[in-house]
């Protein structure tokens, strides 16, 4: 994670850059240029969105001819799971008739829960359009007795109630199309031509969505796509038709560097630590995305609040899914949970919206979120001795009080650098009581200290790294975290080591590097010693390899600073850095 000064510097720098870009582009006609930084602002502020999975699969509700989708797997995959012939699935879809659907009620529910954006499946992998498409009759208006366009109604309800309307669009997978990815039970795999599918259906439908539903907050692509060129085509369509619309990272090939505006974790994924850049995690409220009548494994309001706080404290967004019934009703347990989460958000939303990644560690009593010079202590388990211990914080604490009772000042003291906040004996909120700490300036924290078990190597990676300059922690969709975007000497990563075993250590660095990055030099500094490395390409994309760097010596026990930085300024990334490992030599 960035130290704060570095973060501020890079924000100023990015803002300067974007101002320059828009000036330059003023003479050009359309589209209106929007910098990446401007585009992502609302997303970084708003934090909490509603995901809706709704389609013909909702009608099957997890069951096909006596086969039942097991709880814990996705009910919207039912067509693929039981290889339902496309002709039969299409007939089934004729019966979709959500007479109870009320767009205003759905949007009110999302709003009451504290959600600020709504993402609905315009077309899932089954290929059925939940909006009025001219590209194919296989859509809810032309194919069913319902005749209405739910996306039109939802987009209007969102606009009226102040939520951002967004669409999910599965751009590669399509089980209703002979050329779409995935259906090999009806269609011959060897005759498929994905580009034909993209031109005939996927891109035209995306253009419809970007043209007929007003401004979209974002387009949520899924499953990635085969080539970088294909991803670029989709990005270009969005940028041209709606320059302010965000694009999630799954637009592109997962094996390549992030494209689009922000990273999505894997489904239900949670990063182990905070990340510098904008990210989101899509999560289910029970264990399926599309409705299943069998799945009653609902998360409690407490679990949802805790996840929200953890995600937001790590700098991310929570996209929480509900799977409505085929008739348009929301599952009762989902409504009840979202209303309780909303009641908490109504009172405590200040500690969520507009916060940034927290540099503080996790505590036994809970988590923290940060906004400017306020630190919000989210107390999940009330301390038995009524003292909250906040380690690692260097700033002076000016005041502490419950978020809901600002006049009730709480006594603050320090013990060996640990801030102690005395709280009442009992927790006012069974799920999360928020205590505000006002500090002098922005939080300055002890960097994570990497400690060593006797005779074991040090493993230094993104999780304990402090990044500076353009260096950022990234995720590429395959549970792979690394450092990217560093290209000059100011873009460094550092670790603080506590060495207990003196002696010689072998250094090994693990990274992936593209061919065009060959010969770039980097500096590894360990305390007073330093080594120079030269980048060896490992192939395209993320093929990690380990390289020996040489030996260093720790002559006494204690703390050491380790830094890696590019040795010169390059016009490309130095490497996709995975880890630096230090092995004791005997
Ligand atoms: O839309 C939701 C999922 O349907 C979609 N992403 C979220 C947001 C998704 N697409 N692909 N995947 C999830 C991963 C695929 C998992 C699979 Fe399986 C494992 C497909 C086949 C084996 C799970 C088990 C689904 C069907 C059987």
């Amino acid at each position: 994670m960035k130290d704060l000064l570095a973060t501020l510097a890079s924000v100023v720098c990015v803002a300067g850059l974007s101002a320059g870009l828009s000036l330059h582009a003023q003479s050009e006609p359309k589209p209106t240029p929007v910098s990446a930084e401007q585009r992502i602002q609302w997303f970084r502020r708003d934090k909490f969105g509603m995901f809706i999975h709704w389609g013909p699969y909702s009608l099957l509700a997890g069951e096909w001819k006596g086969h039942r989708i097991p709880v814990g797997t996705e009910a919207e995959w039912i067509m693929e799971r039981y290889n339902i012939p496309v002709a039969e699935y299409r007939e089934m879809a004729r019966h979709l008739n959500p007479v109870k659907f009320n767009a205003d009620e759905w949007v009110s529910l999302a709003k009451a829960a504290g959600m600020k954006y709504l993402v609905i499946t315009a077309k899932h992998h089954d290929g059925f359009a939940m909006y009025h498409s001219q590209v194919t009759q296989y859509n809810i208006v032309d194919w069913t007795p319902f005749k209405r366009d739910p996306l039109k109604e939802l987009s209007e309800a969102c606009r009226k109630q102040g939520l951002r309307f967004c669409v999910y669009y599965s751009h590669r997978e399509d089980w209703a199309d002979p050329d779409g990815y995935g259906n090999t039970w009806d269609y011959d795999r060897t005759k498929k031509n994905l580009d034909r599918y993209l031109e005939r259906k996927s891109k035209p439908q995306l253009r419809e969505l970007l043209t007929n539903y007003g401004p979209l907050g974002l387009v949520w692509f899924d499953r990635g796509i085969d080539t970088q060129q294909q991803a670029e085509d989709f990005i270009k369509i969005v940028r041209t038709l709606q320059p302010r619309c965000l694009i999630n990272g799954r637009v592109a090939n997962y094996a390549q560097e992030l494209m689009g505006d922000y990273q999505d974790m894997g489904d239900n994924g949670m990063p182990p630590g905070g990340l510098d850049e904008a990210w989101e995690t899509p999560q289910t409220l029970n264990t399926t995305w599309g409705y299943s009548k069998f799945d009653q494994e609902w998360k409690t309001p407490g679990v949802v609040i805790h996840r929200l706080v953890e995600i937001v404290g790590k700098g991310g967004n929570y996209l929480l899914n509900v799977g409505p019934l085929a008739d348009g009703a929301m599952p009762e347990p989902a409504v009840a949970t979202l209303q309780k989460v909303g009641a908490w958000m109504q009172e405590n939303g200040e500690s969520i919206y507009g916060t940034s990644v927290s540099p503080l560690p996790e505590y036994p009593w809970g988590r923290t979120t940060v906004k400017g010079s306020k630190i919000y202590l989210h107390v999940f388990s009330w301390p038995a001795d009524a003292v909250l211990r906040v380690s690692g914080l260097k700033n002076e604490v000016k005041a502490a009080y419950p978020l809901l009772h600002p006049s009730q000042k709480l006594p603050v003291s320090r013990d060996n650098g640990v801030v102690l906040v005395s709280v009442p004996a009992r927790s006012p909120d069974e799920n999360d009581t928020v205590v505000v700490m006002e500090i002098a300036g922005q939080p300055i924290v002890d960097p994570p200290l990497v400690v060593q078990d006797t005779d074991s190597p040090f493993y230094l990676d993104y999780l304990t790294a402090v990044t500076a300059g353009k260096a950022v922690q990234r995720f590429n969709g395959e549970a792979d975290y690394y450092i990217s975007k560093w290209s000059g000497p100011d873009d460094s990563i550092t670790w603080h080591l506590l060495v207990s075993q003196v002696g010689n250590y072998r250094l090994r660095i693990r990274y992936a590097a593209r061919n065009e990055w060959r010969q770039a030099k980097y500096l590894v500094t360990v305390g007073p010693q330093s080594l120079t490395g030269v980048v060896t390409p490992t192939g395209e994309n993320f093929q990690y390899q380990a390289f020996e760097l040489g030996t260093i010596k720790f002559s006494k026990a204690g703390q050491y600073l380790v830094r890696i930085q590019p040795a010169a300024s390059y016009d490309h990334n130095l490497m996709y850095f995975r880890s630096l490992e230090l092995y004791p030599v005997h």
Side-chain angles (χ1 to χ4, degrees):
M1 199 174 311
K2 303 264 182 231
D3 54 276
L4 260 170
L5 267 180
T7 311
L8 282 177
S10 71
V11 167
V12 169
C13 158
V14 168
L17 185 70
S18 59
L21 276 177
S22 26
L23 269 182
H24 166 74
Q26 248 169 21
S27 51
E28 318 237 351
K30 277 182 175 175
T32 328
V34 182
S35 72
E37 204 61 28
Q38 287 171 317
R39 246 196 326 261
I40 200 75
Q41 262 176 17
W42 72 265
F43 185 85
R44 295 203 87 143
R45 182 186 63 232
D46 284 354
K47 300 295 177 197
F48 195 21
M50 176 180 273
F51 212 174
I52 300 177
H53 276 69
W54 200 39
Y57 44 80
S58 314
L59 206 50
L60 298 180
E63 184 166 16
W64 173 254
K65 296 188 174 170
H67 298 288
R68 295 172 164 206
I69 295 278
V71 175
T73 43
E74 292 104 325
E76 72 284 0
W77 276 74
I78 192 164
M79 181 177 175
E80 193 264 4
R81 187 174 183 106
Y82 301 126
N83 289 359
I84 301 177
V86 67
E88 284 189 59
Y89 194 90
R90 285 165 72 94
E91 277 321 300
M92 180 279 292
R94 291 257 185 223
H95 300 281
L96 190 62
N97 192 15
V99 290
K100 293 189 186 158
F101 170 70
N102 181 321
D104 279 312
E105 278 176 22
W106 286 14
V107 175
S108 300
L109 177 64
K111 189 171 181 172
M115 293 157 157
K116 301 284 194 187
Y117 59 112
L118 184 149
V119 187
I120 182 158
T121 46
K123 188 209 81 172
H124 202 263
H125 309 336
D126 65 358
F128 186 80
M130 290 296 284
Y131 71 98
H132 195 194
S133 174
Q134 307 297 328
V135 176
T136 155
Q137 296 271 304
Y138 196 44
N139 71 75
I140 188 163
V141 177
D142 296 320
W143 199 257
T144 78
F146 189 54
K147 300 281 173 242
R148 285 156 53 193
D149 181 341
L151 265 60
K152 183 81 101 252
E153 294 177 25
L154 281 167
S155 67
E156 283 159 8
C158 280
R159 210 145 301 133
K160 205 163 67 192
Q161 300 195 45
L163 269 79
R164 271 171 220 268
F165 178 70
C166 314
V167 296
Y168 168 109
Y169 190 83
S170 179
H171 59 321
R172 180 182 73 139
E173 193 108 6
D174 197 316
W175 306 327
D177 192 288
D179 288 313
Y181 184 89
N183 185 342
T184 50
W185 57 97
D186 287 296
Y187 304 116
D188 185 346
R189 185 195 307 262
T190 61
K191 298 212 173 82
K192 282 182 186 285
N193 178 332
L194 185 68
D195 280 314
R196 207 157 55 195
Y197 169 71
L198 301 181
E199 295 308 320
R200 182 161 36 72
K201 182 168 177 186
S202 188
K203 291 179 186 176
Q205 287 201 327
L206 176 62
R207 287 193 197 96
E208 290 180 326
L209 291 164
L210 287 157
T211 310
N212 299 332
Y213 297 88
L216 302 181
L218 56 89
V219 179
W220 214 97
F221 296 98
D222 204 1
R223 300 267 296 164
I225 202 135
D226 300 355
T227 70
Q228 184 147 356
Q229 184 57 51
Q230 289 163 343
E232 276 164 12
D233 288 354
F234 279 96
I235 291 173
K236 189 163 174 225
I237 292 171
V238 180
R239 296 281 189 252
T240 306
L241 291 172
Q242 292 207 22
R244 291 193 165 270
C245 177
L246 295 174
I247 299 167
N248 75 332
R250 291 193 191 178
V251 67
N253 188 320
Y254 294 172
Q256 294 171 343
E257 176 93 72
L258 173 76
M259 293 173 76
D261 293 296
Y262 68 88
Q263 308 163 288
D264 260 303
M265 294 299 119
D267 292 354
N268 289 303
M270 182 76 90
L275 296 169
D276 296 324
E277 295 184 304
W279 63 272
E280 175 186 68
T281 171
Q283 303 209 352
T284 51
L285 192 50
N286 47 358
T287 71
T288 176
W289 304 88
Y291 177 70
S292 163
K293 59 192 170 191
F294 307 116
D295 188 346
Q296 298 302 327
E297 292 190 8
W298 300 100
K299 289 169 188 81
T300 61
V303 167
V304 172
I305 291 166
H306 292 181
R307 284 192 192 212
L308 176 62
V309 170
E310 174 164 359
I311 291 162
V312 166
K314 288 173 175 173
N317 281 28
Y318 191 11
L319 183 60
L320 178 57
N321 182 73
V322 290
L325 280 68
D327 66 4
M330 282 286 176
E332 277 309 320
V335 174
T337 298
L338 291 179
Q339 283 171 344
K340 287 190 186 124
V341 171
W344 184 88
M345 284 294 275
Q346 185 72 35
E347 294 189 318
N348 298 284
E350 181 198 319
S351 66
I352 300 292
Y353 305 122
T355 59
S356 46
V357 58
S358 170
L360 288 160
E362 296 175 358
Y363 298 109
W365 46 259
R367 300 279 193 278
T368 58
T369 55
V370 170
K371 197 190 292 182
S373 58
K374 279 185 180 157
I375 297 176
Y376 300 97
L377 312 177
H378 294 261
V379 189
F380 299 167
S381 34
W382 204 250
D385 62 356
V387 177
L388 294 174
R389 289 173 180 77
V390 184
S391 57
L393 183 71
K394 307 251 205 216
N395 309 58
E396 175 203 344
V397 178
K398 295 186 146 175
Y401 49 87
L403 178 62
L404 303 186
H405 302 283
S407 59
Q408 187 192 332
K409 298 290 181 262
L410 302 172
V412 177
S413 59
R414 255 185 215 266
D415 178 20
N416 280 319
V418 178
V419 176
L420 308 179
V421 183
S422 299
V423 291
R426 278 179 196 289
S427 159
D429 189 305
E430 57 170 342
N431 295 317
D432 178 7
T433 305
V434 182
V435 172
V436 184
M437 244 173 30
E438 287 184 5
I439 60 173
Q442 313 250 322
I444 302 166
V445 302
D446 288 329
L449 191 60
V450 187
V451 296
Q452 179 184 33
D453 291 329
T454 311
D455 205 23
S456 64
F458 283 102
Y459 185 85
L460 308 178
D461 66 3
Y462 79 97
L463 191 57
T464 46
V466 175
T467 54
K470 296 192 293 299
V472 290
Q473 299 138 330
R474 278 214 158 161
F475 171 79
N476 86 340
E478 299 287 358
D480 173 22
Y481 297 88
Y482 57 98
I483 304 282
S484 191
K485 287 177 82 173
W486 47 336
S487 60
D490 294 337
D491 311 329
S492 67
I493 39 178
T494 51
W495 295 266
H496 297 255
L497 263 56
L498 184 60
V499 175
S500 47
Q501 186 191 330
V502 297
N504 291 324
Y505 284 72
R506 265 187 315 113
L507 262 56
R508 186 183 291 171
I509 188 168
R510 202 176 291 272
Y511 61 80
R514 302 171 65 94
N515 291 334
E516 57 271 27
W517 304 344
R518 78 172 63 242
Q519 295 300 319
K521 290 196 173 66
Y522 58 95
L523 220 60
V524 181
T525 314
V526 182
Q529 304 156 79
S530 72
L531 294 166
T532 303
V534 179
V535 170
T536 305
T538 62
E540 291 308 289
N541 308 320
F542 296 90
Q543 282 141 318
Y544 290 94
Q545 277 181 38
F547 299 92
E548 297 296 327
L549 276 175
T551 305
I552 56 103
K553 183 174 189 179
F554 292 120
S555 36
K556 53 179 200 284
Q559 279 201 33
Y560 288 83
L561 188 74
V562 175
R563 169 179 288 118
I564 310 179
Q565 65 205 122
S569 287
Y570 300 104
D571 59 4
H572 56 76
N573 186 12
L574 178 70
M575 61 173 71
Y576 301 128
F577 170 84
R578 167 65 65 78
S579 60
L580 181 70
E581 297 146 33
L582 287 72
Y583 295 90
V585 182
H586 298 287

